[in-house]
Structure formats: structure tokens, C-alpha cells
Amino acid sequence: QLQVVESGGGLVQPGGSLRLSCAASGFTLDYYNIGWFRQAPGKEREGVSCITSTGGRTNYADSVKGRFTISRDNAKNTVYLQMNSLKPEDTALYYCASTARCSDYLQPHYWGQGTQVTVSS
């Protein structure tokens, strides 16, 4: 009944681009701050980017600034992560989740199974 589905991942070469989508059903996504998180093998889960419920503010991890862009289309109940100039170190399983506070990714709540991004030549 309450679901989020992440999609758009895949295998790309270094320097390539992907657009991830976080599509919600069963609730109105625009009521929530939404963050993108990733976890690579052997590493802790980290916040990548976050957008406030109004879309007025965005946050980015230092490692992705200038390369990734988060956005939302509330009419489609979807949040996006445009990823450009991808690097091998971006390889991870990417999740979207609501957060209580975008500035520090407070109390993330995960709904989906994630989408795999692999950057390799």
C-alpha cells in the first residue's frame, strides 16, 4: 500500500550519466524531505543528496557536488537524481528515503529496495 520504487541504475563507463528516479505510491511524496543514500561494499551508508519538501533547499555530499543534481516533480510524485561525470567510486546501491531534516539526513526512513549503479570500464 505504501511503496517507493527506485529505478534508473545500471552499468556505465566513467564519465557517463544516469538519472535515478524515486517514485512513490500510496502517499503524497511532496509532503516529505527526500534524500538519496548509497552504500558500497565495505563502506557505511552515506547521504548523497537531499531536497526539502518544498524544493526550496538542496544538500549535496562534498564528493558529488558539481556532478549530481536532485530535483522533484510533485505532479508525478517522483524525486530524481541526475548523475553526471560518474566515477568508479560512485558505484553503490542507491536508496531514496524520507528524512526528518535535510541538512543532516536526520532519521531516514527507507521504503524501496534500491537501484544499483556500477561505474566501470
PDB file of all heavy atoms in Angstrom, residues 6 13 20 25 41 61 69 72-73 80 108:
ATOM      1  N   GLU A   6      12.728   2.694  -6.516  1.00  0.00           N
ATOM      2  CA  GLU A   6      13.884   3.346  -7.118  1.00  0.00           C
ATOM      3  C   GLU A   6      14.194   2.671  -8.444  1.00  0.00           C
ATOM      4  O   GLU A   6      14.131   1.446  -8.555  1.00  0.00           O
ATOM      5  CB  GLU A   6      15.109   3.256  -6.203  1.00  0.00           C
ATOM      6  CG  GLU A   6      14.928   3.913  -4.845  1.00  0.00           C
ATOM      7  CD  GLU A   6      14.594   2.928  -3.744  1.00  0.00           C
ATOM      8  OE1 GLU A   6      14.055   1.839  -4.048  1.00  0.00           O
ATOM      9  OE2 GLU A   6      14.874   3.231  -2.568  1.00  0.00           O
ATOM     10  N   GLN A  13      30.143   3.628 -18.121  1.00  0.00           N
ATOM     11  CA  GLN A  13      31.572   3.897 -18.113  1.00  0.00           C
ATOM     12  C   GLN A  13      31.882   5.167 -17.332  1.00  0.00           C
ATOM     13  O   GLN A  13      31.014   6.035 -17.185  1.00  0.00           O
ATOM     14  CB  GLN A  13      32.088   4.035 -19.544  1.00  0.00           C
ATOM     15  CG  GLN A  13      32.008   2.758 -20.360  1.00  0.00           C
ATOM     16  CD  GLN A  13      32.594   2.915 -21.744  1.00  0.00           C
ATOM     17  OE1 GLN A  13      32.790   4.033 -22.223  1.00  0.00           O
ATOM     18  NE2 GLN A  13      32.881   1.809 -22.393  1.00  0.00           N
ATOM     19  N   LEU A  20      18.443   8.727 -11.766  1.00  0.00           N
ATOM     20  CA  LEU A  20      17.701   7.864 -10.874  1.00  0.00           C
ATOM     21  C   LEU A  20      16.345   8.476 -10.562  1.00  0.00           C
ATOM     22  O   LEU A  20      16.215   9.693 -10.449  1.00  0.00           O
ATOM     23  CB  LEU A  20      18.462   7.637  -9.571  1.00  0.00           C
ATOM     24  CG  LEU A  20      19.900   7.125  -9.688  1.00  0.00           C
ATOM     25  CD1 LEU A  20      20.457   6.840  -8.303  1.00  0.00           C
ATOM     26  CD2 LEU A  20      19.981   5.907 -10.581  1.00  0.00           C
ATOM     27  N   SER A  25       4.009   5.603  -4.277  1.00  0.00           N
ATOM     28  CA  SER A  25       2.602   5.268  -4.401  1.00  0.00           C
ATOM     29  C   SER A  25       2.032   5.050  -3.010  1.00  0.00           C
ATOM     30  O   SER A  25       2.733   4.630  -2.096  1.00  0.00           O
ATOM     31  CB  SER A  25       2.388   4.030  -5.274  1.00  0.00           C
ATOM     32  OG  SER A  25       3.009   2.889  -4.693  1.00  0.00           O
ATOM     33  N   PRO A  41      30.023  -1.754  -1.089  1.00  0.00           N
ATOM     34  CA  PRO A  41      30.586  -2.844  -0.301  1.00  0.00           C
ATOM     35  C   PRO A  41      31.737  -2.371   0.582  1.00  0.00           C
ATOM     36  O   PRO A  41      32.635  -1.671   0.120  1.00  0.00           O
ATOM     37  CB  PRO A  41      31.073  -3.836  -1.360  1.00  0.00           C
ATOM     38  CG  PRO A  41      30.196  -3.577  -2.540  1.00  0.00           C
ATOM     39  CD  PRO A  41      29.963  -2.085  -2.526  1.00  0.00           C
ATOM     40  N   ALA A  61      26.502  15.854  -0.779  1.00  0.00           N
ATOM     41  CA  ALA A  61      27.772  15.438  -0.219  1.00  0.00           C
ATOM     42  C   ALA A  61      28.905  16.077  -1.003  1.00  0.00           C
ATOM     43  O   ALA A  61      28.799  16.299  -2.213  1.00  0.00           O
ATOM     44  CB  ALA A  61      27.889  13.913  -0.260  1.00  0.00           C
ATOM     45  N   THR A  69      22.617  16.363  -9.391  1.00  0.00           N
ATOM     46  CA  THR A  69      21.560  17.336  -9.171  1.00  0.00           C
ATOM     47  C   THR A  69      20.290  16.617  -8.737  1.00  0.00           C
ATOM     48  O   THR A  69      19.824  15.709  -9.424  1.00  0.00           O
ATOM     49  CB  THR A  69      21.260  18.156 -10.436  1.00  0.00           C
ATOM     50  OG1 THR A  69      22.449  18.811 -10.886  1.00  0.00           O
ATOM     51  CG2 THR A  69      20.198  19.214 -10.148  1.00  0.00           C
ATOM     52  N   ARG A  72      12.647  17.461  -7.902  1.00  0.00           N
ATOM     53  CA  ARG A  72      11.403  16.743  -7.669  1.00  0.00           C
ATOM     54  C   ARG A  72      10.316  17.269  -8.589  1.00  0.00           C
ATOM     55  O   ARG A  72      10.271  18.451  -8.930  1.00  0.00           O
ATOM     56  CB  ARG A  72      10.989  16.814  -6.197  1.00  0.00           C
ATOM     57  CG  ARG A  72      10.660  18.198  -5.666  1.00  0.00           C
ATOM     58  CD  ARG A  72      10.589  18.188  -4.126  1.00  0.00           C
ATOM     59  NE  ARG A  72       9.697  17.150  -3.625  1.00  0.00           N
ATOM     60  CZ  ARG A  72       9.764  16.603  -2.414  1.00  0.00           C
ATOM     61  NH1 ARG A  72      10.710  16.994  -1.554  1.00  0.00           N
ATOM     62  NH2 ARG A  72       8.902  15.670  -2.048  1.00  0.00           N
ATOM     63  N   ASP A  73       9.433  16.366  -8.978  1.00  0.00           N
ATOM     64  CA  ASP A  73       8.263  16.686  -9.777  1.00  0.00           C
ATOM     65  C   ASP A  73       7.072  16.189  -8.981  1.00  0.00           C
ATOM     66  O   ASP A  73       6.704  15.018  -9.054  1.00  0.00           O
ATOM     67  CB  ASP A  73       8.336  16.033 -11.148  1.00  0.00           C
ATOM     68  CG  ASP A  73       7.196  16.453 -12.052  1.00  0.00           C
ATOM     69  OD1 ASP A  73       6.179  16.965 -11.565  1.00  0.00           O
ATOM     70  OD2 ASP A  73       7.328  16.265 -13.286  1.00  0.00           O
ATOM     71  N   TYR A  80      14.073  12.891  -8.391  1.00  0.00           N
ATOM     72  CA  TYR A  80      15.110  12.448  -9.310  1.00  0.00           C
ATOM     73  C   TYR A  80      16.501  12.770  -8.772  1.00  0.00           C
ATOM     74  O   TYR A  80      16.689  13.690  -7.982  1.00  0.00           O
ATOM     75  CB  TYR A  80      14.959  13.130 -10.672  1.00  0.00           C
ATOM     76  CG  TYR A  80      13.617  12.932 -11.321  1.00  0.00           C
ATOM     77  CD1 TYR A  80      12.621  13.889 -11.199  1.00  0.00           C
ATOM     78  CD2 TYR A  80      13.346  11.779 -12.056  1.00  0.00           C
ATOM     79  CE1 TYR A  80      11.386  13.711 -11.795  1.00  0.00           C
ATOM     80  CE2 TYR A  80      12.117  11.593 -12.654  1.00  0.00           C
ATOM     81  CZ  TYR A  80      11.133  12.563 -12.519  1.00  0.00           C
ATOM     82  OH  TYR A  80       9.915  12.371 -13.115  1.00  0.00           O
ATOM     83  N   PRO A 108      16.451   8.851   8.588  1.00  0.00           N
ATOM     84  CA  PRO A 108      15.947   8.379   7.291  1.00  0.00           C
ATOM     85  C   PRO A 108      15.030   7.177   7.454  1.00  0.00           C
ATOM     86  O   PRO A 108      15.252   6.315   8.312  1.00  0.00           O
ATOM     87  CB  PRO A 108      17.211   8.006   6.528  1.00  0.00           C
ATOM     88  CG  PRO A 108      18.198   7.666   7.594  1.00  0.00           C
ATOM     89  CD  PRO A 108      17.897   8.592   8.736  1.00  0.00           C
TER      90      PRO A 108
END
